[in-house]
């Protein structure tokens, strides 16, 4: 290939990484060298849109650990079977010299001739910084990268040193660390857990509802559901006194009777929490007697406030309904230009702050993403409110956060951020942007 054509192909590679990769949950470990620095990374591939990456490096004898997020893509223009892991700017979460400032540049892991059936790569693999890919001869002169792929959590636990990529107080460390071979034997030895351990466990029932079959917003809703699941199941699971019971109703199963039956089938204790989240279309026609919208479902509908009554009737300690939907005459949730592809994850998640939301909070609230007669919007492949809520909640449980660890603070920040992202869009006559709100009250024990 001529150098000019090669350069064009490389530039195209940067700009045209658009096709998603379909995969089951996977794990990857890969190492490389750049500018005389040794790097090692561990990637947790939840799905093609949600990849958590930890980068370990040593420079001048100083060990640093950074966290970034990524997405998995294929690029037929480059190679019909190539897959590319795009990794965003990493934020330093640990440094041996305690200098926590700084970040790692965005980069990409390229794997040529990947066979999804055998889960193997027959071509070369290499890592390239995003800002250097177009440099003359950079890719061809880059050393190969050794990549190991795992499909089973047990294989990761036996072959990966979790301490090289995760801090010991993190939930991820506990998830990926080597299992104790004596655990199963001891569990049948007749020893009972301490009473304080069993008594303090709180169950959070997370019900995820989404109109994933809709032609206009289905993909956006899928991403919303995946991100909300990850927020609770992965991020907030740092608090080990919480057990999550997650149920998802989407696609052809999104029928109001299925929602009712699923909720009524829950075994809810007096100290449990129920959080119901809906992403999809909504409406609130003129003359309605409710300020809350009605969620559209398959051949049915369900008022948001009635969902609140449904879950509160089970008498949990905490009942929360969160809706990302229009609150106006029926209309498709409008898509806006996509946000930047990558955002760094926060440094630390504080179990005590998680407890404020899921263990200490008591009461009932119903939240909606837009006010009466307003539309709600999507930002590329996510709801504007959902993205804002995840950002706000993730920030609030950060050990270094200045935000109060309360639902009120998180929801108000979510509404504010969603409005700022949509404030230049004309909504109902005379207004711009979407303005969410909630009703209800909570106390904190």
């Amino acid at each position: 290939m001529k150098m000019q054509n090669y350069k064009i192909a490389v530039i195209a590679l940067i700009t045209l990484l658009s096709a998603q990769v379909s995969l089951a949950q996977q794990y990857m470990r890969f190492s490389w060298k750049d500018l005389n620095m040794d790097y090692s990374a561990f990637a947790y591939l939840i799905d093609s849109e949600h990849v958590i990456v930890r980068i370990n490096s040593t420079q001048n004898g100083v060990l640093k650990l950074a966290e970034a997020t990524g997405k998995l893509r294929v690029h037929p223009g480059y190679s019909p079977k190539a897959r590319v892991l795009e990794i965003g700017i990493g934020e330093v979460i640990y440094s041996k010299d305690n200098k926590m400032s700084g970040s790692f540049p965005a980069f990409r892991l390229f794997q040529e001739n990947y066979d999804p059936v055998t889960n193997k790569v027959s071509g070369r693999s290499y890592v390239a910084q995003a800002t250097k890919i177009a440099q003359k001869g950079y890719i061809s002169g880059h050393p190969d990268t050794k990549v190991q792929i795992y499909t089973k959590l047990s294989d990761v636990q036996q072959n990966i040193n979790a301490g090289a990529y995760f801090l010991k107080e993190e939930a991820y460390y506990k998830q990926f660390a080597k299992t104790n071979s004596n655990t199963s034997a001891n569990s049948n030895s007749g020893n009972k857990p301490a009473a304080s351990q069993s008594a303090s466990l709180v169950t959070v029932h997370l019900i995820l509802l989404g109109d994933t079959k809709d032609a206009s917003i289905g993909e956006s809703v899928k991403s919303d559901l995946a991100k909300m699941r990850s927020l609770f199941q992965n991020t907030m699971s740092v608090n080990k006194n919480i057990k999550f019971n997650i149920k998802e109703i989407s696609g052809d199963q999104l029928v109001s009777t299925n929602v009712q039956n699923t909720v009524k089938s829950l075994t809810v204790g007096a100290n449990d929490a129920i959080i119901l989240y809906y992403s999809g279309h909504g409406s609130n026609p003129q003359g309605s007697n409710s300020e809350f919208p009605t969620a559209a479902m398959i051949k049915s509908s369900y008022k948001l406030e009635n969902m609140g009554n449904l879950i509160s009737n089970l008498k949990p300690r905490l009942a929360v309904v969160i809706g990302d939907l229009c609150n106006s005459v029926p209309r498709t949730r409008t898509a806006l230009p996509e946000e930047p592809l990558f955002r760094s994850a926060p440094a630390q998640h504080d179990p005590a702050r998680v407890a404020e939301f899921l263990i200490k909070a008591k009461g009932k609230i119903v939240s909606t993403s837009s006010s009466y007669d307003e539309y709600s919007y999507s930002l590329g492949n996510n709801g504007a409110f959902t993205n804002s809520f995840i950002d706000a909640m993730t920030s609030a449980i950060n050990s270094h956060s200045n935000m109060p660890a309360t639902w009120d603070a998180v929801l108000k920040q979510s509404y504010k951020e969603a409005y700022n992202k949509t404030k230049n869009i004309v909504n109902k006559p005379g207004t711009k942007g979407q303005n969410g709100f909630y009703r209800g009250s909570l106390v904190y024990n």
Side-chain angles (χ1 to χ4, degrees), residues 293-309:
T294 295
M297 298 185 179
I298 306 299
K299 298 180 181 179
S300 60
S301 60
Y302 211 141
K303 290 184 177 180
L304 212 62
E305 55 192 335
N306 288 349
M307 293 184 191
N309 295 333

Side-chain angles (χ1 to χ4, degrees), residues 6-26:
Y6 180 78
K7 186 174 182 179
I8 292 174
V10 169
I11 295 174
L13 177 59
I14 301 174
T15 58
L16 297 179
L17 293 168
S18 58
Q20 296 183 21
V21 177
S22 176
L23 80 163
Q25 185 169 279
Q26 291 183 6

Side-chain angles (χ1 to χ4, degrees), residues 39-258:
Y39 294 90
S40 177
F42 175 78
Y44 173 27
L45 288 73
I46 300 172
D47 56 46
S48 62
E49 293 295 300
H50 309 94
V51 182
I52 297 168
V53 184
R54 286 296 174 87
I55 310 138
N56 181 316
S57 70
T58 302
Q59 184 177 26
N60 299 325
V62 177
L63 172 68
K64 288 184 179 292
L65 183 64
E67 181 173 69
T69 55
K71 296 186 179 184
L72 201 62
R73 295 285 185 262
V74 294
H75 181 33
Y78 172 69
S79 173
K81 294 184 178 180
R83 75 173 185 174
V84 183
L85 177 59
E86 298 180 284
I87 303 170
I89 295 175
E91 179 180 317
V92 175
I93 64 171
Y94 170 80
S95 178
K96 188 176 181 180
D97 59 7
N98 292 322
K99 294 181 179 179
M100 303 297 289
S101 60
S103 60
F104 280 52
F107 62 94
R108 295 183 172 95
L109 168 68
F110 297 87
Q111 292 183 284
E112 298 177 351
N113 299 323
Y114 172 74
D115 187 340
V117 176
T118 62
N119 201 34
K120 293 182 180 179
V121 177
S122 59
R124 67 182 296 229
S125 298
Y126 55 90
V127 169
Q129 288 188 21
T131 56
K132 297 181 179 180
I133 295 175
Q135 292 181 8
K136 183 177 179 180
Y138 181 79
I139 291 181
S140 60
H142 220 63
D144 288 353
T145 296
K146 183 178 180 180
V147 181
Q148 294 169 295
I149 300 176
Y150 304 95
T151 56
K152 296 180 180 179
L153 177 59
S154 58
D155 290 338
V156 175
Q157 293 170 333
Q158 294 302 315
N159 294 284
I160 300 293
N161 176 14
Y165 304 104
F166 303 97
L167 305 178
K168 288 189 176 181
E169 60 269 26
E170 291 185 279
Y172 284 129
Y173 177 85
K174 297 176 178 66
Q175 178 179 353
F176 295 118
K178 284 187 172 73
T179 55
N180 187 343
S181 59
N182 295 322
T183 299
S184 59
N186 290 338
S187 64
N188 295 319
S189 63
N191 296 327
K192 295 182 179 180
S196 60
Q197 290 179 321
S198 58
S200 61
L201 193 64
V202 170
T203 299
V204 174
H205 305 272
L206 177 64
I207 312 299
L208 300 172
L209 311 178
D211 187 3
T212 58
K213 296 280 286 188
D214 184 83
S216 59
I217 63 170
E219 291 303 313
S220 172
V221 170
K222 285 181 184 178
S223 184
D224 285 347
L225 297 180
K227 284 191 172 184
M228 288 293 286
R229 176 186 287 270
S230 179
L231 171 66
F232 288 90
Q233 183 172 277
N234 298 322
T235 304
M236 301 186 81
S237 64
V238 67
N239 189 308
K240 294 307 175 184
N241 291 321
I242 301 173
K243 173 186 175 182
F244 290 95
N245 175 32
I246 303 178
K247 297 185 181 298
E248 179 176 321
I249 304 175
S250 58
D252 292 331
Q253 299 303 308
L254 186 64
V255 181
S256 58
T257 53
N258 286 345

Side-chain angles (χ1 to χ4, degrees), residues 274-422:
I274 305 178
I275 300 174
L276 189 150
Y277 167 81
Y278 171 85
S279 175
H281 290 300
S283 63
N284 200 349
Q286 295 290 337
S288 170
N289 59 0
S290 174
E291 61 182 338
F292 283 102
T294 295
M297 298 185 179
I298 306 299
K299 298 180 181 179
S300 60
S301 60
Y302 211 141
K303 290 184 177 180
L304 212 62
E305 55 192 335
N306 288 349
M307 293 184 191
N309 295 333
L310 175 69
I311 64 174
S312 62
N313 285 341
L314 295 180
K315 301 188 184 306
R317 170 183 45 81
L318 175 67
V320 176
V321 173
I322 301 170
D324 193 345
L325 67 167
C326 289
N327 194 1
S328 62
V329 293
R331 174 177 166 175
T332 297
R333 197 172 71 177
T334 306
L336 300 177
E338 191 169 1
E339 291 184 298
L341 195 58
F342 304 109
R343 290 173 294 178
S344 298
Q348 286 295 325
H349 309 309
D350 186 352
R353 282 182 161 263
V354 173
E356 293 292 328
F357 290 97
L358 301 181
I359 296 178
K360 295 186 177 182
K362 180 179 181 180
K364 171 189 173 182
I365 54 176
V366 177
S367 166
T368 184
S369 56
S370 54
S371 294
Y372 177 70
D373 204 23
E374 285 185 350
Y375 305 128
S376 290
Y377 297 94
S378 293
L379 291 172
N381 204 33
N382 283 107
F385 170 79
T386 297
N387 259 357
S388 300
F389 174 79
I390 292 172
D391 283 346
M393 181 62 80
T394 307
S395 176
I397 64 174
N398 187 335
S399 58
H400 302 298
S401 177
N402 293 321
M403 182 187 299
T406 66
W407 283 93
D408 178 76
V410 165
L411 288 172
K412 286 182 177 178
Q413 178 62 29
S414 304
Y415 304 143
K416 179 180 179 181
E417 184 178 333
Y419 169 77
N420 286 335
K421 292 173 180 176
T422 60

